[in-house]
Amino acid sequence: MAEWLLNRWTGSAAAIMIQWSCGASYTFSIYSPVLKSSQGYDQSTLDTVSVFKDIGANFGILSGLLYTAVTPYRSGGEVGLEGKSRWASLGGPWVVLAAGAVQLFVGFLFLWAAVVGLIGTPPVWVMCFFAWLAANGQAFLNTTTVVTGLRNFPEYSGTIVGIMKGFLGLSGAILIQLYHTFCDGDPASYLLMLACLPSFICLLLMFLVRIYEVRDNNYKKHLNGFSVVTVIIVAYLMFIIILQNFISLSTWARMLTFVMLTVLLALPYGVAIKAQWEESRNFAQTFSFERAPSTDNQKLITSSSYFPSVDQLEYHELPSDAGQVPLNLDDMLPQEQEMNLLQAMCTIDFWMLFVTMISGLGSGLAMINNMSQIGESLGYSTIQINNMVSLWSMWNFIGRFGGGYVSDYMMHRKGWPRPLLMAATLGSMIFGHVIIAVGFPGNLYLGPVLVGICYGAHWALMPTITSEIFGVRHMGTIFNTIAAASPLGSYLLSVKVVGYIYDKEADKEDNSCFGIHCFMSSFFILAAVSFMAFLAGLALYFRTRKFYKLVVLRRLKHSV
């Protein structure tokens, strides 16, 4: 019975559920008005709280360090824990998930208590700290699910990372549906729900999210099953969002749409059950063949050229103490380096990735943060602007999911390194910014779509590229350090570029601006910044092209 609960498929379904429940930072616009009114904040103070929220959501260095400390790691032929076996034997990914759940609960519970008046009005710095704490819990959960998925499905790491990052991107849309169904018009109760729901789901499922060593590589079709479910969910959400922007749904209609969404969100467990059943059946067939009386048949059947061995199909949770395992053909292949954070920071590759993050994702965030104002300045109606803002999470998801899936296809079928796709998405983002800057009629139906898809793809590609260049052991810490450049780029480009130029162009009486000139200069600058990111991505591709050919692609060819 335990094998039906403790396997990589059920663990992946549990991780998906954790991901879609923890993206509260994407719904700040829901509870920010009540936060502002109850605490007596002006817009500048509210923006300060929002900045700390963004820093918390993107500051995952602590979660990466904790994950490295409490999880075992197998390198080559040895189970190496680098002096940390004592800690790893007591822990696992569940420790990081538990830490994130506690942060989410404490952070949002404090915000709720302050809003409803359960405690006195706290100082601004205290509110900033708890906003950071609540959002940082999301970073802990995201680090755990992404790195664990990458280690459980190493041959198709792009696909699993795309699925996990995609559901995190969808979480804002899903949580907003929960808000409209149960807390519509009551953002204070929504804050309490954000404190309880993600924490409860995480604590309920955290022991299912484990690291398994599975030598069976024939699992792509089951990952594709997760992918199909994901596409169905996003199509349903797009339909509901567009419907809600045109008509007002009654209470019973909201409940019906929520019940249907709940059924769809449970479908990953159906994929997990089917995948585990097929692998158990294959194991049973292989075991019965190996016990066949015919010596000739036994030699034929047990040959690795025809059927995987028992070791290839059986799940092994990674041991917590060091030991030796037999050498295999993988040991004769060149191995990826396992760098720690300091070693990675001494390489040019690290800073190239940092530049692509601060320039590419920073310019994307600057566009997101000003989307409503751009629509108003160009004369779009409120319904049109709401539609574009609501559908942003959909384009973001398509980029996250598609970036991971397409990069795996390119690696396995074409032999093209992932940095090539990263450079291509950054190049496409340039055109998105230029389309917005030009301001022709209907430009916001094309420009933000391009930027959104490319922005999402970058989030799916970056963790996988980081693990391939610097190794999996410290990947959580290294990637989250690089990801910290995202809010920094957002601040510099949103406040110091877009905001500054808008204020110069705006009417001094009501601080509003209408016309193409409001954002034209800003987005040409964002296009130039994206071009810098494109050059850095292209340079990374040429620098790592030989490494991918000799190490990463050769390992994938052998394993698959």
Side-chain angles (χ1 to χ4, degrees):
M1 183 63 183
E3 69 177 9
W4 288 95
L5 286 177
L6 302 179
N7 60 76
R8 58 179 172 172
W9 299 109
T10 305
S12 298
I16 287 172
M17 193 168 185
I18 291 171
Q19 285 291 83
W20 68 249
S21 69
C22 73
S25 64
Y26 300 130
T27 64
F28 183 74
S29 60
I30 298 294
Y31 58 87
S32 59
V34 72
L35 201 64
K36 181 179 181 180
S37 60
S38 65
Q39 304 304 301
Y41 291 160
D42 56 19
Q43 188 61 38
S44 177
T45 306
L46 183 66
D47 287 342
T48 302
V49 176
S50 177
V51 166
F52 276 86
K53 179 263 301 179
D54 291 336
I55 293 173
N58 291 279
F59 186 80
I61 299 174
L62 296 178
S63 62
L65 291 172
L66 180 60
Y67 188 93
T68 301
V70 300
T71 54
Y73 175 70
R74 182 183 296 277
S75 177
E78 295 187 12
V79 179
L81 297 178
E82 302 177 4
K84 299 178 181 176
S85 59
R86 178 181 176 184
W87 293 104
S89 64
L90 299 175
W94 70 268
V95 176
V96 191
L97 292 174
V102 171
Q103 287 180 269
L104 277 168
F105 180 76
V106 173
F108 280 114
L109 188 68
F110 184 89
L111 295 180
W112 168 79
V115 165
V116 299
L118 198 61
I119 60 176
T121 303
V124 174
W125 70 267
V126 175
M127 291 293 284
C128 289
F129 170 76
F130 281 97
W132 173 87
L133 185 69
N136 196 235
Q138 172 185 317
F140 273 68
L141 305 188
N142 182 47
T143 297
T144 306
T145 54
V146 168
V147 181
T148 302
L150 191 146
R151 291 177 64 170
N152 284 336
F153 303 96
E155 285 76 22
Y156 292 95
S157 55
T159 301
I160 190 65
V161 170
I163 291 171
M164 294 300 166
K165 284 287 188 180
F167 270 100
L168 180 63
L170 280 179
S171 62
I174 294 171
L175 290 174
I176 288 175
Q177 294 305 311
L178 286 172
Y179 166 74
H180 286 311
T181 304
F182 298 105
C183 312
D184 199 28
D186 187 8
S189 298
Y190 178 67
L191 278 173
L192 183 60
M193 187 192 78
L194 292 180
C196 298
L197 179 65
S199 302
F200 173 75
I201 290 175
C202 189
L203 295 175
L204 181 68
L205 302 176
M206 64 184 183
F207 291 108
L208 300 180
V209 182
R210 302 186 178 192
I211 300 172
Y212 299 92
E213 183 196 8
V214 187
R215 298 183 182 179
D216 172 30
N217 301 314
N218 186 26
Y219 54 72
K220 185 63 166 66
K221 66 176 182 179
H222 300 306
L223 281 184
N224 288 341
F226 282 136
S227 301
V228 170
V229 169
T230 306
V231 172
I232 293 173
I233 292 173
V234 76
Y236 177 75
L237 282 171
M238 287 182 69
F239 169 75
I240 293 300
I241 289 172
I242 295 174
L243 185 65
Q244 289 174 340
N245 281 325
F246 284 100
I247 63 174
S248 179
L249 298 180
S250 61
T251 302
W252 69 266
R254 289 176 182 168
M255 289 298 298
L256 179 62
T257 57
F258 172 74
V259 169
M260 293 180 64
L261 178 60
T262 303
V263 171
L264 294 178
L265 291 174
L267 289 180
Y269 286 98
V271 176
I273 292 172
K274 180 182 178 182
Q276 179 60 21
W277 178 78
E278 289 190 6
E279 289 195 347
S280 299
R281 183 187 61 180
N282 292 339
F283 171 78
Q285 289 176 349
T286 304
F287 184 75
S288 63
F289 282 139
E290 287 181 345
R291 299 188 60 177
S294 171
T295 303
D296 294 336
N297 289 342
Q298 184 177 4
K299 289 180 181 179
L300 175 63
I301 292 171
T302 57
S303 170
S304 60
S305 300
Y306 292 87
F307 289 94
S309 67
V310 175
D311 288 339
Q312 286 178 302
L313 285 170
E314 187 178 1
Y315 284 97
H316 301 282
E317 188 177 352
L318 285 179
S320 58
D321 50 352
Q324 297 291 327
V325 297
L327 293 175
N328 52 47
L329 289 177
D330 287 333
D331 300 315
M332 293 183 282
L333 297 176
Q335 297 295 317
E336 294 97 329
Q337 297 185 63
E338 295 295 340
M339 298 185 190
N340 58 34
L341 177 59
L342 293 179
Q343 291 170 332
M345 292 180 70
C346 293
T347 66
I348 297 177
D349 298 337
F350 177 91
W351 294 108
M352 285 182 171
L353 290 171
F354 192 88
V355 169
T356 63
M357 182 68 77
I358 195 172
S359 302
L361 267 68
S363 65
L365 279 174
M367 194 278 295
I368 300 167
N369 293 337
N370 293 277
M371 218 165 138
S372 295
Q373 290 82 1
I374 297 169
E376 290 174 1
S377 69
L378 295 177
Y380 287 83
S381 68
T382 302
I383 292 178
Q384 289 175 314
I385 295 172
N386 288 339
N387 276 334
M388 287 183 284
V389 172
S390 299
L391 290 173
W392 166 259
S393 60
M394 303 298 109
W395 313 134
N396 185 14
F397 161 79
I398 291 172
R400 292 179 184 229
F401 171 72
Y405 191 91
V406 172
S407 69
D408 271 346
Y409 176 84
M410 289 171 54
M411 289 272 288
H412 286 269
R413 298 293 181 90
K414 304 294 184 180
W416 296 345
R418 286 184 222 275
L420 180 62
L421 181 60
M422 183 180 71
T425 57
L426 291 169
S428 301
M429 189 178 286
I430 299 171
F431 293 102
H433 289 312
V434 170
I435 289 171
I436 297 172
V438 172
F440 60 82
N443 66 330
L444 291 192
Y445 290 105
L446 180 59
V449 174
L450 270 177
V451 175
I453 292 174
C454 296
Y455 174 87
H458 206 73
W459 276 115
L461 292 169
M462 190 64 81
T464 315
I465 293 173
T466 301
S467 69
E468 289 167 345
I469 294 178
F470 304 113
V472 179
R473 179 72 180 115
H474 300 277
M475 172 257 178
T477 309
I478 297 171
F479 165 70
N480 282 309
T481 303
I482 297 172
S486 176
L488 175 60
S490 172
Y491 172 77
L492 293 174
L493 296 174
S494 294
V495 177
K496 300 300 183 181
V497 176
V498 179
Y500 175 76
I501 295 177
Y502 181 88
D503 289 339
K504 285 186 65 177
E505 299 286 347
D507 188 340
K508 302 305 179 184
E509 293 183 2
D510 58 1
N511 291 322
S512 60
C513 181
F514 298 96
I516 297 175
H517 65 282
C518 301
F519 289 96
M520 177 179 286
S521 300
S522 301
F523 275 85
F524 276 127
I525 293 174
L526 294 185
V529 171
S530 297
F531 181 71
M532 290 174 52
F534 165 72
L535 292 179
L538 198 61
L540 180 68
Y541 161 68
F542 285 113
R543 273 185 56 83
T544 59
R545 182 173 53 177
K546 186 176 181 180
F547 168 79
Y548 268 86
K549 181 178 180 180
L550 294 179
V551 180
V552 181
L553 292 172
R554 187 179 173 189
R555 173 179 57 79
L556 286 178
K557 177 183 283 190
H558 166 69
S559 62
V560 176

